[in-house]
Amino acid sequence: MELTASTILVALAGVFLICFMKGAFGGGFSILGIPLLSIVMDPVIAGGLLAPLFIAMDLFALRYWKPSTWSKPDLLLLLPGLVIGIGLGYLLFRLLDHRAVAIAMAAITLIFVGLWLVTGTQITPRPRSTRKAISAGLASGITTMVAHSGGPPLAMYLLPLGLSKQTYAGTTSLFFTVGNATKAIPWLLLVQPTAEVWSLMALCLFAIPAGVWLGWRLHGTLHEPQIYRACYGLLVLTALKLLWDGICGYLA
């Protein structure tokens, strides 16, 4: 990767978009910013670039998503599976077919959104399930390590609970704060960033405050039904991105 002006501008735009999503929805949709980064660098290098930046984004986002916005009962069920899933993802990184993982996750996500549309798109709170929470945490850990796509499994567990918009975003934010801190070292071991990548990381730090703040301001202007519809819409975009990556990977 060459550290050119175009590389810097595209990387700043990609990091800004990811931070905006984190400020507005608490995280989980970072994969939508990766296509921008992929214009100027290999997706694996982009993963290594983002791994430490995610931690900086999460720490800044905690200014807005404070402990009062966390659903602690859900986090207690989700986080152990997340950490185990990241460990499994690291061990299986070179063995798993990333294309198949992306296509499978896309199909499951689209089915989930389709069922929501069929049932009338109403927010109908459902009871918690320990089994579903552990499964969601585990799946999110594996997919966030393998394909930076840990958002769909978490959303498929949290959205049906009908949490308030602040609680949904705050819980998601802390979930990925733990996940991103856990996977940073494995990703850096896998990618081993060059001096140019580290320099680009330092420059991208300047995009974080504005991105998170603007996303948080947008969150404040939206009502809960709008937030939920936006989250389901972003799930569709995420699924289509995963489907595209998987199919193009096989065609290549």
Side-chain angles (χ1 to χ4, degrees), residues 50-65:
L50 289 172
L53 287 174
F54 281 142
I55 298 176
M57 298 175 197
D58 293 328
L59 292 175
F60 192 83
L62 289 178
R63 294 184 56 190
Y64 305 104
W65 305 124

Side-chain angles (χ1 to χ4, degrees), residues 31 36 59 87 94 97 101 106 114 126 158 160 178 187 193 239 241 247:
I31 194 172
L36 279 175
L59 292 175
R94 300 190 188 281
D97 188 332
V101 171
R126 299 178 184 175
L158 287 180
V178 174
W187 256 101
K241 171 63 171 61
I247 293 174

Side-chain angles (χ1 to χ4, degrees), residues 94-165:
R94 300 190 188 281
L95 300 176
L96 287 176
D97 188 332
H98 295 201
R99 301 163 298 181
V101 171
I103 291 173
M105 193 70 257
I108 294 170
T109 302
L110 290 174
I111 291 171
F112 171 74
V113 176
L115 291 173
W116 176 71
L117 291 172
V118 168
T119 57
T121 71
Q122 298 298 316
I123 302 173
T124 305
R126 299 178 184 175
R128 290 182 175 88
S129 167
T130 300
R131 178 182 57 81
K132 290 181 180 179
I134 294 173
S135 299
L138 188 66
S140 183
I142 293 173
T143 54
T144 195
M145 187 66 214
V146 173
H148 279 310
S149 59
L154 177 67
M156 282 187 273
Y157 171 74
L158 287 180
L159 287 173
L161 297 181
L163 304 173
S164 70
K165 66 174 187 175

Side-chain angles (χ1 to χ4, degrees), residues 31-44:
I31 194 172
L32 298 178
I34 293 177
L36 279 175
L37 297 175
S38 299
I39 296 173
V40 293
M41 68 186 74
D42 183 271
V44 176

